[in-house]
Structure formats: C-alpha cells, structure tokens
Amino acid sequence: MLHLSASLWILLTVCWAQQTPLPTTHSPNQNRGIKFRLAGYPRKHNEGRVEVFYNQEWGTICDDDFTMENAHILCRHLGFTEATGWTHSAKYGKGVGRIWLDNVICSGSEKSITDCNSRGWGNSDCTHEEDAGVICKDERIPGFIEPNTIETEQRQVEEIRLRPAVSGAKNRLPVAEGILEVKHKDSWEQVCDAGWTVKNSRVVCGMLGFPSDKKLNKNFYKRIKKQAAVKRPPKVALKPRLYLERQKPAFRLHSVQCTGSEVHLSLCPMDFYKVNSSSTCDGSPVVVSCSMGHAISSSLLSNKKKKVTVQREETIRLKGGSRPGEGRVEILKNGQWGTVCDDRWDLQAASVVCRELGFGSAKEALTGARMGQGMGPIHMNEVRCTGLESSIWDCQYKNITEEDCKHTEDAAVKCNSPYMGYERTIRLAGGRTRTEGRVEVLYGPRGSERWGLICGEGWGTMEAATVCQQIGLGYVSSALQETWYWDASNVTQMVLSGVRCSGNEMSLQQCTHHGTVSCKNTGTRHAAGVICSETASDLVLHAALVQETAYIEDRPLHMLYCAAEENCLSSSARNANWPYGHRRLLRFSSQIHNNGRADFRPKAGRHSWVWHECHGHYHSMDIFTHYDLLTSNGTKVAEGHKASFCLEDSDCQELVSKRYECANFGEQGITVGCWDLYRHDIDCQWIDITDVKPGNYILQVVINPNYEVAESDFTNNAMKCNCKYDGHRIWIHNCHLGDAFSEEANKQFEQYRGQLNNQII
C-alpha cells in the first residue's frame, strides 16, 4: 500500500475472513487472509486491474491463458454477480510487487480462484506489462457483506462532466463549455479553481473527447457569480436560470496540478476535501471551455456546407474501427500509407494520434493488431511521445527493418469522443439478445417525437452498420429486410423509407432518405432489422500477385462452354461462331486475405447454395469479385465477374489452422489470418478483352462489391493497376489497393499516359 498513490485504489477490498458464506463463494476458512481489489486508471468502480492480497502482500495476476471464466470468478470474489469482459496487457496501468498467479485456467464451476489450475502462488514468468483486469457487471450479489477493511473515503476520480452554466444549454450536444463536475457516489460535485491552470483544462478536455481547451470568457462567469450572490424571490429569478443561482457549490477537489500530458485526471496530483470538513474553497467552481475537433465539427455540418469546406490532405488515419475515434493507426509517408508497430506503444503516443485526428486523449492503446492487420509498409516502430506533441511525427521513433515487425503487431487506438447522445434516438426491439432486433427510430419535430419503423426495402449493410455504430454495438453482422420473427413491439408505423448511408455518418439521421414515406410493404414484418457483432472480417486483395501473374491467352470457344453458362464472357460472345474461333482473355491470380477479426462467411446458408454441374461445385455467393478494365476517365471497356466457386482456406499464416474447405460439401469461408487463392488457370479468373482496342487502361478488381457480407473496412476492397495494351501484348504494373496512396499519388496514377517501351520499372 505504501508504493502507490491512494488515488489509484478502489474502495472495494474484499476480505474473505470476515465474509459470511454465499452460494457463489468459497468457505471463509479456505480463503482466510486472501483479499481482492480493483485498481488502476482510468476506470469506473466496477472495473480495473485485479490485485490479490496473499501472504501479507498485494500482487497482481498475469493475463496468460486468462478467460471469461476467470473473470466471472474474480468478479464474484469482489461482490459482483458476473463479468462482462476482461482486459490484458495492463490496460489499467502496471501494478507493483509480486505477480501472484500465472496461467490461471478456470472451468467456471469453481467457487474460488484458488480452485483453478495455475502455476502456483508466486510462480510466474510475466512482467507487470501483462497484468490482467476485469470488467464486472454493475450489479451486486444479494446479501454480499462488505468488510470493515473498505476505505471510508474514495480518493479516485472516476467520471467527470461539464455542466452548462445556463440551464437551457443542457439540451445542446456536445457540451464543450461549462462548470467542471466530478462524480462522487451518487452525486456530482465541483472543483475549486484556486491554482487551476490551462494544463488541467487540457487534460479535462481530452477526457471529454476534445483535442484542446480554448480561452474562456471570464467576464461572463463573473457576472454569473455576482447574480448568484444577489438574493431574489423565486418568482423574480432570471430566465434562463443560471446554475449557480439554484444550487450552492459542493466542492470535491482542489489544488489540481496536471502537466498537460496526462490522459486522465486521476494521474494528476490533487487534494480531496474531507467529508464533513469545514474547509471551504477560496475561489469559484472551475469552468472549462474546450475546442471542438474537426472530426466532430465536420459531422455536424449540413451537406451543403460540407461541399464548400476545404478538404485538407490527411497524413494520419484510423482504419478498421467500429465507430469514429477508434481503429488501426495508419500514417502517410512518401505518398504511401503504412502502419505503426506496437513495440513500446502506450497511452501517450495513442493520445497524440487521437488529438491530431480531432478527438480527445486515448482511452486505450491497443497492440497485437486488435483492429485488424494492415497491408503495405510499416513506417514506425518504438514510438515514444511525451503526450504534448501536436503530431506523431514530432515523437521519437525508429524506422523499420524487415526483421523488426509484422502486421500482426499493428498498433491501434480507442479515443475519447464527445458525448453526442445519438443512442437516445434509436433502439432495437424484439431480438433474442441486445445485439439484434427490429430498428426503431425516434422521429418527428422536437417536442412531438414518436418511435417508428424503417421500411426494409433497399435496406443494406451500410445502413445496418450505421445503426450498430450509433447504438455502440460494434460492427454489423447482418442487415435484414424482413423481421416478422421479431414482432414483439407495439410500434407499428413506418416513419422512414429509402434510407441510404455512405458509411461515414455518425447516426442514421445523417443518412439520406425519402422526404415522405414511400414503402410498398408497410406491414411490420417488412421493417428493417440488424444483427450486430463485436468483430468483423476484412478482405484484402494481394495486389502484387495480380501484377506478377497477369498474361493474355487466346482460348478456343469449344473450351469456354462452362464459362459462357456462368456469364463470364463479354456480350459479343453470344454472336460468335461456336465452337469455332477464340476469345482473348486477360488472366491473373487473386489471393484474398482475411485481415479482420472474424471469419468471412457467405451470406447464404448452405441450404441455398447453387450446384453447378458444369464445374462440379457449389456457388455460395453469386458475385464475389468484379473485374473491370477502365479508361483513365473511368469508362468501362471490358468486365468480368467471379462467383465464389467455393470459399476456402488455401493457406494460412504461421500458427493459424485452416477451418474451411470445399471438398465433400464442406463449410465455406475464410478464416482470420488465412487466404483464398483463385489461380489464373481456373474458369472466370479473367477479363474478356476480345473487343478492346489497343491503349492505356486501368485494371480494377473489387472484392465483395455489393457489400453482401459485412466487413470492418470496405475502403480496401478495391485494387487498381496501370495497364498498357498494344493489341498483342499487355503490361500490368503499379498495382495497389485503392486507398494505399495519397491523393496526389492517385491523381498521378489516373493521369498515366502509357509506357514508352516495354521495360516496366
């Protein structure tokens, strides 16, 4: 207890020697002297780093082999009914002292963590960078007795907010200016402004999702203080009423001394007013004003204003996240996007990224490609930031060598975002779990809003993804146009139809829709629904292989009957003199990787797969890829398409096992970390260029073009190559993913004028 600040400990310390037996806990005699507590930052009272008191010393638990079963048991030790999640890699900060338990394996039926298999007390090969944490359901075990060893006063800042000085302003979100309040038990209390600095304000704004603080109009708040001091009858009070007029401040903190680099107020030195103390604040409540980041302010603009807003060149972006402010970190270097290696990746570096993107400080600095693996170069390694830098490029870092990192080590972030209240205007009803159901939206003019349904006609993956994001349920798993099996609500009226989302919206209300409801089937069974998921797949094409394997073949018509049956030839083939003559085909191989965090499975169940006698296999998706040959202005001159003959794991990364294969009517899909290879010599793996004239073109390949299956990122589904065709030979080069280059590099690519010779460099 002497090694860490008291502000980092949780109030809840469970002493089994003093607890009465419960059905879900172990006998007191068998756990005598063992205690459990939650610690760390930033966190709430029901989450944190797990610490165990054993042999008169506090220590931690290593995250090796940690599971939800372990978390359930530990949460019950702490007096909560169950766990909702667990964390690894010292998410709540590194502990000190012994690491008491390692390789803990519980089945879930144990009454105590001591009944689980482990390496034994004190036997560990871990460091405190691997400390495990738990997130418990905020529901106490009935009859749970809290021991006398619980501290009488909590010295931890869990949650903060800005309360608008004018009461009417509370309906306007986000709240970027107001009186700073900290949550204490069930009430909100203020902070004394004596000695308050802009560095403190910067930390507060970061926690609330804003990149920086801004200068405050102090004269306005001085007038508030004077008006609050004037006593007037209740009926004479000014309107709108001022907060300080109706409530006397109750101060909780004072003497806060942040450096400005902290990601949470708990990390700053501060003093707490004692309960029932006669000490008073010599100043006023702290008022903070935050600057709105461009990430949020741009989403609040109308479509017309967005068009006139000057777009600035990005040098950093987030990919693969389920909501704004989270994702894999990618940076632009020498015109090419690449990732950041997670060696020494921490909250300071993550916060610099978040603020640079227009969000607040970082909630989490994720390692191990937790937001999926990127493609292309890895630009940075061992990034070290103080937290005060304006850009990640201002931090210290190392350049990458081949041996340093792999994409399995891509760094990611979760940023603090301003509270927008979007989840209050949408809900799911009738589902078996909270992650699925019929979509109901709150619609209508202010003051007369009503809940209504969305017409299922045209409802697709992009619209469903926006719903899952808005509610905070992660990624979309399925978009449903009929929901008769979820008919459990009394909401029956359709209020929206023709909803179309681009994928960049923060709420469904920002998507386009019909001015008046136009729906052929207005019955509730045809209302839109969604199924959400915590993870999603992410398909990416291996661009270099296309370039390496491309060639032209003149294939006799008598060998193309099956291809014609599957519509893999251009329309002019119908008028050919079958079986005589030939078709000129541009052939190449496609290697499609699943770099996401969930297996890619076909939308249709195996009961609806179509058997093709000609090729002797089932098709699980009618259209899996589009192949197009385009002019520089985007005009299509030739096309092809590839049905998913069968989705299977052709090969996998090291330590990843194949799960899907086509043989014997097997299950189809692509496992995370595996890829499906369509060789250049199989049917339909081509573009029919028989009618194409010599010239310079763009070869484009798009995976999952109709968004039939949900993915975490659709922007990397397209690949482009420069192409020169002289009527006899073809040269393919500069193949890359559609979002791999900067805007300037893409412009140069599209203005390609052709090769002067056949020496491709």
Side-chain angles (χ1 to χ4, degrees), residues 643-677:
S644 60
F645 283 176
C646 69
L647 294 170
E648 67 176 0
D649 297 326
S650 302
D651 208 346
C652 301
Q653 297 174 359
E654 188 177 358
L655 303 179
V656 179
S657 300
K658 299 179 182 180
R659 297 183 59 187
Y660 304 106
E661 62 178 351
C662 302
N664 302 317
F665 195 39
E667 289 291 341
Q668 294 192 25
I670 307 176
T671 305
V672 174
C674 299
W675 54 88
D676 190 5
L677 176 63

mmCIF file of all heavy atoms in Angstrom, residues 643-677:
data_model
loop_
_atom_site.group_PDB
_atom_site.id
_atom_site.type_symbol
_atom_site.label_atom_id
_atom_site.label_comp_id
_atom_site.label_asym_id
_atom_site.label_seq_id
_atom_site.Cartn_x
_atom_site.Cartn_y
_atom_site.Cartn_z
ATOM 1 N N ALA A 643 -18.007 -15.602 -59.450
ATOM 2 C CA ALA A 643 -18.822 -16.137 -58.361
ATOM 3 C C ALA A 643 -17.885 -16.841 -57.377
ATOM 4 O O ALA A 643 -16.779 -17.242 -57.727
ATOM 5 C CB ALA A 643 -19.847 -17.117 -58.905
ATOM 6 N N SER A 644 -18.314 -16.964 -56.149
ATOM 7 C CA SER A 644 -17.473 -17.669 -55.178
ATOM 8 C C SER A 644 -17.632 -19.162 -55.438
ATOM 9 O O SER A 644 -18.517 -19.802 -54.890
ATOM 10 C CB SER A 644 -17.890 -17.318 -53.756
ATOM 11 O OG SER A 644 -19.222 -17.681 -53.533
ATOM 12 N N PHE A 645 -16.785 -19.683 -56.306
ATOM 13 C CA PHE A 645 -16.874 -21.108 -56.615
ATOM 14 C C PHE A 645 -16.936 -21.896 -55.318
ATOM 15 O O PHE A 645 -17.749 -22.759 -55.126
ATOM 16 C CB PHE A 645 -15.662 -21.538 -57.429
ATOM 17 C CG PHE A 645 -15.755 -21.111 -58.870
ATOM 18 C CD1 PHE A 645 -14.716 -21.346 -59.732
ATOM 19 C CD2 PHE A 645 -16.874 -20.472 -59.350
ATOM 20 C CE1 PHE A 645 -14.794 -20.965 -61.058
ATOM 21 C CE2 PHE A 645 -16.964 -20.090 -60.679
ATOM 22 C CZ PHE A 645 -15.910 -20.334 -61.525
ATOM 23 N N CYS A 646 -16.028 -21.558 -54.430
ATOM 24 C CA CYS A 646 -16.125 -22.025 -53.058
ATOM 25 C C CYS A 646 -15.107 -21.248 -52.258
ATOM 26 O O CYS A 646 -13.975 -21.068 -52.682
ATOM 27 C CB CYS A 646 -15.899 -23.524 -52.941
ATOM 28 S SG CYS A 646 -14.238 -24.065 -53.279
ATOM 29 N N LEU A 647 -15.536 -20.741 -51.137
ATOM 30 C CA LEU A 647 -14.643 -20.003 -50.249
ATOM 31 C C LEU A 647 -13.961 -20.994 -49.332
ATOM 32 O O LEU A 647 -14.617 -21.743 -48.603
ATOM 33 C CB LEU A 647 -15.436 -18.985 -49.425
ATOM 34 C CG LEU A 647 -16.091 -17.837 -50.189
ATOM 35 C CD1 LEU A 647 -17.028 -17.069 -49.281
ATOM 36 C CD2 LEU A 647 -15.031 -16.914 -50.747
ATOM 37 N N GLU A 648 -12.637 -21.010 -49.362
ATOM 38 C CA GLU A 648 -11.917 -21.942 -48.508
ATOM 39 C C GLU A 648 -10.563 -21.362 -48.121
ATOM 40 O O GLU A 648 -10.099 -20.375 -48.702
ATOM 41 C CB GLU A 648 -11.725 -23.288 -49.202
ATOM 42 C CG GLU A 648 -10.801 -23.249 -50.406
ATOM 43 C CD GLU A 648 -10.569 -24.632 -51.005
ATOM 44 O OE1 GLU A 648 -11.121 -25.604 -50.472
ATOM 45 O OE2 GLU A 648 -9.834 -24.728 -51.998
ATOM 46 N N ASP A 649 -9.943 -21.962 -47.131
ATOM 47 C CA ASP A 649 -8.611 -21.553 -46.694
ATOM 48 C C ASP A 649 -7.573 -22.281 -47.534
ATOM 49 O O ASP A 649 -7.309 -23.473 -47.322
ATOM 50 C CB ASP A 649 -8.411 -21.893 -45.212
ATOM 51 C CG ASP A 649 -9.381 -21.149 -44.313
ATOM 52 O OD1 ASP A 649 -9.709 -20.000 -44.644
ATOM 53 O OD2 ASP A 649 -9.794 -21.715 -43.282
ATOM 54 N N SER A 650 -6.992 -21.556 -48.502
ATOM 55 C CA SER A 650 -5.934 -22.165 -49.313
ATOM 56 C C SER A 650 -4.650 -22.312 -48.508
ATOM 57 O O SER A 650 -3.930 -23.295 -48.634
ATOM 58 C CB SER A 650 -5.671 -21.322 -50.563
ATOM 59 O OG SER A 650 -6.836 -21.188 -51.335
ATOM 60 N N ASP A 651 -4.368 -21.303 -47.691
ATOM 61 C CA ASP A 651 -3.190 -21.337 -46.831
ATOM 62 C C ASP A 651 -3.390 -20.318 -45.718
ATOM 63 O O ASP A 651 -4.285 -19.468 -45.798
ATOM 64 C CB ASP A 651 -1.918 -21.030 -47.629
ATOM 65 C CG ASP A 651 -0.685 -21.694 -47.025
ATOM 66 O OD1 ASP A 651 -0.774 -22.163 -45.867
ATOM 67 O OD2 ASP A 651 0.366 -21.735 -47.691
ATOM 68 N N CYS A 652 -2.534 -20.394 -44.696
ATOM 69 C CA CYS A 652 -2.703 -19.527 -43.528
ATOM 70 C C CYS A 652 -1.353 -19.050 -43.017
ATOM 71 O O CYS A 652 -0.303 -19.602 -43.355
ATOM 72 C CB CYS A 652 -3.421 -20.266 -42.389
ATOM 73 S SG CYS A 652 -5.064 -20.879 -42.804
ATOM 74 N N GLN A 653 -1.421 -18.023 -42.183
ATOM 75 C CA GLN A 653 -0.228 -17.551 -41.507
ATOM 76 C C GLN A 653 0.267 -18.605 -40.525
ATOM 77 O O GLN A 653 -0.445 -19.545 -40.180
ATOM 78 C CB GLN A 653 -0.527 -16.252 -40.747
ATOM 79 C CG GLN A 653 -0.931 -15.082 -41.622
ATOM 80 C CD GLN A 653 -1.353 -13.880 -40.802
ATOM 81 O OE1 GLN A 653 -1.362 -13.906 -39.574
ATOM 82 N NE2 GLN A 653 -1.723 -12.808 -41.488
ATOM 83 N N GLU A 654 1.481 -18.406 -40.051
ATOM 84 C CA GLU A 654 2.070 -19.317 -39.079
ATOM 85 C C GLU A 654 1.202 -19.378 -37.815
ATOM 86 O O GLU A 654 0.694 -18.360 -37.339
ATOM 87 C CB GLU A 654 3.474 -18.829 -38.729
ATOM 88 C CG GLU A 654 4.275 -19.790 -37.884
ATOM 89 C CD GLU A 654 5.687 -19.291 -37.627
ATOM 90 O OE1 GLU A 654 6.041 -18.218 -38.151
ATOM 91 O OE2 GLU A 654 6.423 -19.971 -36.901
ATOM 92 N N LEU A 655 1.010 -20.561 -37.305
ATOM 93 C CA LEU A 655 0.245 -20.836 -36.083
ATOM 94 C C LEU A 655 -1.266 -20.676 -36.267
ATOM 95 O O LEU A 655 -2.018 -20.736 -35.297
ATOM 96 C CB LEU A 655 0.711 -19.942 -34.926
ATOM 97 C CG LEU A 655 2.199 -20.035 -34.558
ATOM 98 C CD1 LEU A 655 2.513 -19.083 -33.406
ATOM 99 C CD2 LEU A 655 2.578 -21.464 -34.178
ATOM 100 N N VAL A 656 -1.734 -20.475 -37.495
ATOM 101 C CA VAL A 656 -3.170 -20.398 -37.777
ATOM 102 C C VAL A 656 -3.575 -21.650 -38.548
ATOM 103 O O VAL A 656 -2.937 -22.013 -39.540
ATOM 104 C CB VAL A 656 -3.534 -19.139 -38.584
ATOM 105 C CG1 VAL A 656 -5.031 -19.109 -38.880
ATOM 106 C CG2 VAL A 656 -3.112 -17.887 -37.829
ATOM 107 N N SER A 657 -4.637 -22.304 -38.121
ATOM 108 C CA SER A 657 -5.073 -23.552 -38.758
ATOM 109 C C SER A 657 -6.220 -23.296 -39.724
ATOM 110 O O SER A 657 -7.064 -22.428 -39.495
ATOM 111 C CB SER A 657 -5.542 -24.554 -37.690
ATOM 112 O OG SER A 657 -4.502 -24.845 -36.789
ATOM 113 N N LYS A 658 -6.245 -24.065 -40.804
ATOM 114 C CA LYS A 658 -7.341 -23.984 -41.772
ATOM 115 C C LYS A 658 -8.631 -24.523 -41.147
ATOM 116 O O LYS A 658 -8.614 -25.510 -40.415
ATOM 117 C CB LYS A 658 -7.021 -24.810 -43.018
ATOM 118 C CG LYS A 658 -5.788 -24.355 -43.778
ATOM 119 C CD LYS A 658 -5.552 -25.270 -44.977
ATOM 120 C CE LYS A 658 -4.307 -24.893 -45.743
ATOM 121 N NZ LYS A 658 -4.078 -25.788 -46.900
ATOM 122 N N ARG A 659 -9.734 -23.849 -41.473
ATOM 123 C CA ARG A 659 -11.034 -24.275 -40.949
ATOM 124 C C ARG A 659 -12.027 -24.613 -42.055
ATOM 125 O O ARG A 659 -12.990 -25.335 -41.815
ATOM 126 C CB ARG A 659 -11.627 -23.179 -40.064
ATOM 127 C CG ARG A 659 -10.823 -22.864 -38.826
ATOM 128 C CD ARG A 659 -11.522 -21.824 -37.967
ATOM 129 N NE ARG A 659 -12.848 -22.274 -37.551
ATOM 130 C CZ ARG A 659 -13.716 -21.500 -36.911
ATOM 131 N NH1 ARG A 659 -13.407 -20.247 -36.643
ATOM 132 N NH2 ARG A 659 -14.898 -21.974 -36.557
ATOM 133 N N TYR A 660 -11.834 -24.071 -43.254
ATOM 134 C CA TYR A 660 -12.834 -24.213 -44.308
ATOM 135 C C TYR A 660 -12.212 -24.860 -45.538
ATOM 136 O O TYR A 660 -11.102 -24.512 -45.963
ATOM 137 C CB TYR A 660 -13.409 -22.844 -44.681
ATOM 138 C CG TYR A 660 -13.995 -22.104 -43.503
ATOM 139 C CD1 TYR A 660 -13.325 -21.023 -42.932
ATOM 140 C CD2 TYR A 660 -15.206 -22.500 -42.939
ATOM 141 C CE1 TYR A 660 -13.853 -20.359 -41.836
ATOM 142 C CE2 TYR A 660 -15.738 -21.841 -41.842
ATOM 143 C CZ TYR A 660 -15.052 -20.761 -41.292
ATOM 144 O OH TYR A 660 -15.575 -20.110 -40.209
ATOM 145 N N GLU A 661 -12.959 -25.804 -46.122
ATOM 146 C CA GLU A 661 -12.549 -26.411 -47.384
ATOM 147 C C GLU A 661 -13.785 -26.847 -48.152
ATOM 148 O O GLU A 661 -14.834 -27.132 -47.579
ATOM 149 C CB GLU A 661 -11.614 -27.592 -47.144
ATOM 150 C CG GLU A 661 -12.218 -28.732 -46.351
ATOM 151 C CD GLU A 661 -11.256 -29.890 -46.184
ATOM 152 O OE1 GLU A 661 -10.191 -29.861 -46.831
ATOM 153 O OE2 GLU A 661 -11.572 -30.816 -45.429
ATOM 154 N N CYS A 662 -13.638 -26.889 -49.474
ATOM 155 C CA CYS A 662 -14.785 -27.131 -50.344
ATOM 156 C C CYS A 662 -15.133 -28.608 -50.502
ATOM 157 O O CYS A 662 -16.258 -28.945 -50.852
ATOM 158 C CB CYS A 662 -14.513 -26.544 -51.728
ATOM 159 S SG CYS A 662 -14.176 -24.780 -51.673
ATOM 160 N N ALA A 663 -14.160 -29.460 -50.269
ATOM 161 C CA ALA A 663 -14.369 -30.887 -50.533
ATOM 162 C C ALA A 663 -15.521 -31.440 -49.705
ATOM 163 O O ALA A 663 -15.744 -31.039 -48.558
ATOM 164 C CB ALA A 663 -13.086 -31.659 -50.224
ATOM 165 N N ASN A 664 -16.274 -32.340 -50.326
ATOM 166 C CA ASN A 664 -17.353 -33.064 -49.640
ATOM 167 C C ASN A 664 -18.408 -32.140 -49.051
ATOM 168 O O ASN A 664 -18.899 -32.364 -47.937
ATOM 169 C CB ASN A 664 -16.764 -33.962 -48.541
ATOM 170 C CG ASN A 664 -15.763 -34.960 -49.066
ATOM 171 O OD1 ASN A 664 -15.978 -35.576 -50.115
ATOM 172 N ND2 ASN A 664 -14.651 -35.102 -48.363
ATOM 173 N N PHE A 665 -18.756 -31.107 -49.815
ATOM 174 C CA PHE A 665 -19.789 -30.172 -49.391
ATOM 175 C C PHE A 665 -19.452 -29.580 -48.011
ATOM 176 O O PHE A 665 -20.283 -29.441 -47.131
ATOM 177 C CB PHE A 665 -21.152 -30.867 -49.348
ATOM 178 C CG PHE A 665 -22.319 -29.912 -49.272
ATOM 179 C CD1 PHE A 665 -22.336 -28.724 -49.984
ATOM 180 C CD2 PHE A 665 -23.415 -30.222 -48.480
ATOM 181 C CE1 PHE A 665 -23.416 -27.860 -49.908
ATOM 182 C CE2 PHE A 665 -24.506 -29.368 -48.403
ATOM 183 C CZ PHE A 665 -24.496 -28.180 -49.127
ATOM 184 N N GLY A 666 -18.171 -29.225 -47.866
ATOM 185 C CA GLY A 666 -17.704 -28.710 -46.582
ATOM 186 C C GLY A 666 -18.150 -27.279 -46.339
ATOM 187 O O GLY A 666 -18.691 -26.598 -47.216
ATOM 188 N N GLU A 667 -17.935 -26.818 -45.119
ATOM 189 C CA GLU A 667 -18.264 -25.442 -44.770
ATOM 190 C C GLU A 667 -17.356 -24.487 -45.541
ATOM 191 O O GLU A 667 -16.171 -24.745 -45.722
ATOM 192 C CB GLU A 667 -18.086 -25.219 -43.267
ATOM 193 C CG GLU A 667 -19.137 -25.900 -42.414
ATOM 194 C CD GLU A 667 -20.508 -25.258 -42.582
ATOM 195 O OE1 GLU A 667 -20.579 -24.112 -43.041
ATOM 196 O OE2 GLU A 667 -21.510 -25.931 -42.259
ATOM 197 N N GLN A 668 -17.944 -23.359 -45.984
ATOM 198 C CA GLN A 668 -17.188 -22.395 -46.757
ATOM 199 C C GLN A 668 -16.920 -21.132 -45.947
ATOM 200 O O GLN A 668 -17.738 -20.713 -45.117
ATOM 201 C CB GLN A 668 -17.934 -22.021 -48.041
ATOM 202 C CG GLN A 668 -18.076 -23.172 -49.016
ATOM 203 C CD GLN A 668 -18.540 -22.705 -50.386
ATOM 204 O OE1 GLN A 668 -18.335 -21.562 -50.758
ATOM 205 N NE2 GLN A 668 -19.160 -23.603 -51.127
ATOM 206 N N GLY A 669 -15.779 -20.520 -46.205
ATOM 207 C CA GLY A 669 -15.409 -19.284 -45.539
ATOM 208 C C GLY A 669 -13.914 -19.058 -45.637
ATOM 209 O O GLY A 669 -13.172 -19.852 -46.227
ATOM 210 N N ILE A 670 -13.456 -17.943 -45.057
ATOM 211 C CA ILE A 670 -12.031 -17.633 -44.984
ATOM 212 C C ILE A 670 -11.723 -17.280 -43.533
ATOM 213 O O ILE A 670 -12.273 -16.323 -42.983
ATOM 214 C CB ILE A 670 -11.630 -16.472 -45.913
ATOM 215 C CG1 ILE A 670 -12.092 -16.733 -47.350
ATOM 216 C CG2 ILE A 670 -10.120 -16.253 -45.880
ATOM 217 C CD1 ILE A 670 -11.816 -15.585 -48.308
ATOM 218 N N THR A 671 -10.862 -18.059 -42.904
ATOM 219 C CA THR A 671 -10.505 -17.871 -41.508
ATOM 220 C C THR A 671 -9.642 -16.621 -41.338
ATOM 221 O O THR A 671 -8.894 -16.251 -42.245
ATOM 222 C CB THR A 671 -9.734 -19.103 -40.994
ATOM 223 O OG1 THR A 671 -10.524 -20.277 -41.229
ATOM 224 C CG2 THR A 671 -9.417 -18.997 -39.519
ATOM 225 N N VAL A 672 -9.746 -15.987 -40.184
ATOM 226 C CA VAL A 672 -8.869 -14.862 -39.862
ATOM 227 C C VAL A 672 -7.412 -15.325 -39.935
ATOM 228 O O VAL A 672 -7.047 -16.350 -39.346
ATOM 229 C CB VAL A 672 -9.164 -14.318 -38.456
ATOM 230 C CG1 VAL A 672 -8.162 -13.238 -38.072
ATOM 231 C CG2 VAL A 672 -10.575 -13.783 -38.368
ATOM 232 N N GLY A 673 -6.592 -14.599 -40.683
ATOM 233 C CA GLY A 673 -5.187 -14.968 -40.838
ATOM 234 C C GLY A 673 -4.928 -15.935 -41.972
ATOM 235 O O GLY A 673 -3.790 -16.372 -42.165
ATOM 236 N N CYS A 674 -5.968 -16.267 -42.758
ATOM 237 C CA CYS A 674 -5.813 -17.175 -43.901
ATOM 238 C C CYS A 674 -6.185 -16.453 -45.191
ATOM 239 O O CYS A 674 -6.651 -15.321 -45.178
ATOM 240 C CB CYS A 674 -6.691 -18.420 -43.734
ATOM 241 S SG CYS A 674 -6.297 -19.411 -42.278
ATOM 242 N N TRP A 675 -5.982 -17.118 -46.322
ATOM 243 C CA TRP A 675 -6.351 -16.533 -47.606
ATOM 244 C C TRP A 675 -6.876 -17.600 -48.559
ATOM 245 O O TRP A 675 -6.575 -18.779 -48.431
ATOM 246 C CB TRP A 675 -5.173 -15.801 -48.243
ATOM 247 C CG TRP A 675 -3.906 -16.601 -48.404
ATOM 248 C CD1 TRP A 675 -3.552 -17.398 -49.444
ATOM 249 C CD2 TRP A 675 -2.820 -16.647 -47.469
ATOM 250 N NE1 TRP A 675 -2.318 -17.946 -49.234
ATOM 251 C CE2 TRP A 675 -1.839 -17.503 -48.033
ATOM 252 C CE3 TRP A 675 -2.575 -16.058 -46.228
ATOM 253 C CZ2 TRP A 675 -0.637 -17.767 -47.379
ATOM 254 C CZ3 TRP A 675 -1.386 -16.320 -45.588
ATOM 255 C CH2 TRP A 675 -0.436 -17.167 -46.159
ATOM 256 N N ASP A 676 -7.684 -17.121 -49.486
ATOM 257 C CA ASP A 676 -8.269 -17.972 -50.524
ATOM 258 C C ASP A 676 -7.602 -17.614 -51.839
ATOM 259 O O ASP A 676 -7.601 -16.445 -52.239
ATOM 260 C CB ASP A 676 -9.781 -17.734 -50.591
ATOM 261 C CG ASP A 676 -10.485 -18.760 -51.473
ATOM 262 O OD1 ASP A 676 -9.827 -19.692 -51.945
ATOM 263 O OD2 ASP A 676 -11.701 -18.599 -51.695
ATOM 264 N N LEU A 677 -7.029 -18.593 -52.513
ATOM 265 C CA LEU A 677 -6.301 -18.357 -53.761
ATOM 266 C C LEU A 677 -7.110 -18.840 -54.951
ATOM 267 O O LEU A 677 -7.487 -20.014 -55.022
ATOM 268 C CB LEU A 677 -4.950 -19.080 -53.726
ATOM 269 C CG LEU A 677 -4.111 -19.010 -55.012
ATOM 270 C CD1 LEU A 677 -3.732 -17.566 -55.329
ATOM 271 C CD2 LEU A 677 -2.873 -19.879 -54.890
#
